[in-house]
Amino acid sequence: MAPLVKICGLSTEATLDATLEAGAERVGFVFFARSPRHLTLERAAVLARRARGRAAVVALTVDAEDAALDAIVGAVAPDMVQLHGRETPERVAALRARLGRPMVKALGIACAADLDAVPAYAAVADEIMFDAKPPKGAALPGGNGVAFDWRLLAALDLPVPFMLSGGLGPRNVGEALRVTRAPAVDVSSGVESAPGVKDPDLIAAFIRAAKS
C-alpha cells in the first residue's frame, strides 16, 4: 500500500493546486509567527476551502494558547491539528477533548532515548509524527531540513499510526520509507526553492518518489 503524503507549509493557490493534483492526501498550514511559512487565519481559510474534499487540512501549531487554537478551528475548520511544540501528554489529551479534532503530536528525535516519551503520547494522540530534533540554535522546531537516523524507528510497535518527517526530499524519501516502513511521510523545506517558497516541480517529484 502506498504511503500517505502530507505537504506542509503551503501558502499559495498555485502550490496548493500542484499538491492536490499530484495526489497528496494531506495539506498543512502553519500558524507560528516565527516561521517563514506562517499564515494569517484569513489566508489559511481561503486555502482550506480550496482543498476541502480533496485532501485533509492540517493546522500546525507550536505551544499555542487555547484562544489561538479556538480561532484557528473557528476560521479554518481543519480536519486535524498538529502540535509541534513542547505540549505534554496531558495538554494533548485536553486539546483533543476541547477542539474535537484528531491530534497529531510531533516528537523531535536525535537518539534512542528520545523514543522513551512515545508511549505516553501514543496513549493520547491520534497519530505520532517523528521529526528530527532542531539543530542547536535553530529558531524553528521543525522545517529545518535535517534528518535523524531512521534506523531508530525500525523496530517500532505503536498502537497509533505514525508519520515520518525531517530532512526528507525527492531523492531520499524512498530510502526513508524502506528503512522505517512508515505509513505516512511529511515534507516542508525539502520541496522548497527558498525558505517558505514551495516548488511545484519538487512537490510532484516528492509525491512520485514516495508513492513508487
Side-chain angles (χ1 to χ4, degrees), residues 62-157:
V62 180
D63 298 315
E65 300 290 338
D66 285 354
L69 288 161
D70 290 346
I72 291 168
V73 169
V76 182
D79 297 293
M80 311 178 81
V81 176
Q82 181 177 321
L83 304 174
H84 218 101
R86 298 181 179 179
E87 299 89 357
T88 64
E90 293 76 18
R91 176 68 170 157
V92 175
L95 288 175
R96 190 173 186 269
R98 177 187 182 90
L99 300 175
R101 297 290 194 282
M103 294 287 134
V104 180
K105 181 63 184 91
L107 299 176
I109 305 298
C111 63
D114 293 323
L115 296 173
D116 292 346
V118 171
Y121 284 104
V124 293
D126 296 274
E127 189 171 301
I128 301 296
M129 173 182 285
F130 294 106
D131 196 359
K133 269 192 173 176
K136 189 173 182 178
L140 304 176
N144 293 297
V146 295
F148 63 95
D149 185 351
W150 302 320
R151 293 172 296 180
L152 293 171
L153 305 184
L156 265 187
D157 184 17

Side-chain angles (χ1 to χ4, degrees), residues 5-75:
V5 175
K6 171 172 167 272
I7 306 296
C8 197
L10 293 161
S11 59
T12 68
E13 283 82 356
T15 54
L16 174 61
D17 288 348
T19 297
L20 296 170
E21 288 162 10
E25 288 86 359
R26 294 184 192 173
V27 295
F29 302 133
V30 175
F31 301 93
F32 184 53
R34 296 211 305 268
S35 172
R37 305 164 188 101
H38 172 68
L39 294 180
T40 63
L41 292 179
E42 295 76 16
R43 186 78 189 118
V46 169
L47 295 174
R49 285 195 294 271
R50 196 177 185 95
R52 192 82 59 205
R54 300 179 65 188
V57 173
V58 183
L60 185 157
T61 67
V62 180
D63 298 315
E65 300 290 338
D66 285 354
L69 288 161
D70 290 346
I72 291 168
V73 169

